[in-house]
Amino acid sequence: QLQAFGGGLVQAGGSLRLSCAASRSTIRNRNMGWFRQAAGKEREFVAGIAWDRSRSDYADSVKGRFTISRDNARNTVYLQMNSLKPEDTAVYSCAAGRAYNSDVRRYDYWGQGTQVTVSS
């Protein structure tokens, strides 16, 4: 129901745009979030967006560098990542639910992730 793609290997300072494709029933009227998990670390919230694009939220570590957006007509959510740092290396996943913030308990659907690797 959710599938993230667009990851890859990029040098520090570079950019990537991740996409999260969803079925219409999964994304419709649901808030969406991006999370990441680095090797040996816990999953952490990256960014979230309300179902109607009216509000968004970002982790402090990515503010000013990442931008979340969504195209409801295409059932897709995006994460534009600029000025990437080695510490952004992780598996990035998207989720849909009742929240657009870091409260993982309020996300009902989770997709498989895509690997992002930033080299120094």
Side-chain angles (χ1 to χ4, degrees), residues 17-99:
R17 187 176 82 155
L18 305 182
S19 299
C20 172
S23 63
R24 186 170 183 270
S25 61
T26 300
I27 196 173
R28 187 183 181 200
N29 295 334
R30 286 196 172 93
N31 301 323
M32 300 293 295
W34 282 98
F35 290 78
R36 67 186 181 186
Q37 186 167 18
K41 295 186 177 181
E42 292 188 355
R43 180 174 57 194
E44 64 173 348
F45 171 76
V46 176
I49 188 167
W51 68 273
D52 60 355
R53 300 189 297 269
S54 62
R55 292 158 289 179
S56 60
D57 192 21
Y58 294 90
D60 288 342
S61 59
V62 306
K63 280 181 181 176
R65 299 189 298 122
F66 292 10
T67 303
I68 189 170
S69 61
R70 64 189 294 164
D71 184 339
N72 290 335
R74 295 179 182 271
N75 301 324
T76 304
V77 180
Y78 304 97
L79 185 68
Q80 178 66 44
M81 305 186 296
N82 299 328
S83 302
L84 282 162
K85 305 175 181 180
E87 51 263 44
D88 294 318
T89 295
V91 175
Y92 286 69
S93 302
C94 54
R98 295 156 286 150

